[in-house]
Amino acid sequence: MSTINKGSSQKYKIAMLDEQGSLAAWSREIEGSNFSWAFVRLDSKESLIDQLEQNTFDAVILPCSMRALVDIELMANLARIQPQAVRVFLGAEFWNAGFKAKAAEIAHRIYPNNVSIQAVGEELEYQIKLVKLLNRSSLQAYVSTVGCLPSPPSMYRQLTEAVNSDVADLTEISEIIEQDPSVVAQIMKQVNSAFFGFSRQISDLREAISLLGVRNLRSMALSSQLNKQFKQGKDWDQFSFEQMGQRSLLVARLAQALCRRAGASKAVQDQAFLAGLLHDLGVMIMAAHDPAQYKKLINYAVKKQKPIYLVEKAAFGFFHGEVAAALLALWNLPPQVVEAVMLHHVPHLSSATEFSPLTAVHVADAMLPSVDVAGECDLASSLSLRYLDQVGVMDEVPQWRIVANEYRVRMVSNL
């Protein structure tokens, strides 16, 4: 084990597994860099686990071996030990798409072997800052008071196990979903809506699963169960929760379509779909928790012509994207989903320089009209040209607008 100590200037504690001793250069390069880290390189899985059980770390880095499932299980174990640590895989370019998709469920970032330490370091510090923002006491206290479940619905957990299993089939997956008939009804209603655009009526759940994919169905099941938990109260008349849910489905579909156009992996497409479904969950949580107070915030936003998230921030110290993201992080949902939900109104705060689920969700939310809100308060994002330039996709915007217009027509005809 080798350790770098930088005295009182230490900022973050980073642990790396290096069983073969092939990453010794990291210690030297970090010591000569501008990163103020306490960097610990460990030579066995046992010593890494022991360190995380005894000490708090801000991040952990695992090199990828040819035994992908062993590495992924180790990372999942580390996440259970220290759920607030940022998790990074290094050298996954030799893994197949299936392994990468499983890794994306648990890791904040996945890098090739030849990535520079500077690039990893800057992104790592950004991710650590996001985690610390989500874990600040005021936000955690609010989430604990609004009736949120301490863990994700059991159906989502069971479907996640099925997704990560090599033996689960359509029958087993459909049996999991059928545990809640109301979720089945909601999924079938959505599948047969104009939002999906299938040319014929879908009446069989297994057929719906085969058409949409297990990960999409898992996302829709989670969204349906959350919509059941955070219901529209009788005294709420500012906007329709049902229409909010329908719009979120359309944002998810559009975000997924933008991912396909960008050539993003299936894992990124799935993350964008889930983040799109949940991006405005925080609005419904806050409106359901204290309708009178949230109504005042909407009225103030209309009066001052300010975005609702800025009014929320001024009133609470956090906004709806952070509320939902804190809950999803608590449930260990994929980190890039959490990031996209958290930053969909403020993507320029991201350090990313390439297309991601955040890009897709931000653009989809900005390019679709808001649901009808009393006083004409606009809940949708404003397109951040600064961010789009940052990730190098400005040239795609005209084509994205054409694609978005097709979804806009579906939305207007159904809401």
Side-chain angles (χ1 to χ4, degrees), residues 269-283:
Q269 293 178 37
D270 293 335
Q271 290 173 347
F273 184 82
L274 178 53
L277 279 176
L278 303 178
H279 78 285
D280 271 341
L281 172 64
V283 171

Side-chain angles (χ1 to χ4, degrees), residues 225-242:
Q225 291 196 302
L226 289 175
N227 288 340
K228 284 171 56 182
Q229 182 182 356
F230 301 106
K231 296 179 180 179
Q232 179 174 343
K234 294 180 180 179
D235 57 344
W236 182 258
D237 57 3
Q238 298 295 291
F239 58 78
S240 164
F241 276 36
E242 181 179 0

Side-chain angles (χ1 to χ4, degrees), residues 155 174 176-190 205 224:
M155 181 181 293
S174 62
I176 294 172
I177 298 175
E178 286 167 351
Q179 294 174 23
D180 191 331
S182 66
V183 171
V184 175
Q186 185 63 25
I187 287 175
M188 297 307 295
K189 177 182 177 182
Q190 293 172 344
L205 180 59
S224 294

Side-chain angles (χ1 to χ4, degrees), residues 299-345:
N299 292 337
Y300 185 81
V302 172
K303 180 179 178 180
K304 296 297 184 179
Q305 296 186 326
K306 288 186 176 183
I308 187 64
Y309 76 91
L310 289 180
V311 175
E312 294 166 352
K313 187 78 170 179
F316 294 101
F318 47 79
F319 59 96
H320 65 266
E322 294 173 286
V323 171
L327 176 62
L328 302 181
L330 182 67
W331 292 350
N332 286 324
L333 263 68
Q336 293 223 37
V337 171
V338 175
E339 180 184 7
V341 170
M342 179 180 182
L343 300 181
H344 70 276
H345 279 293

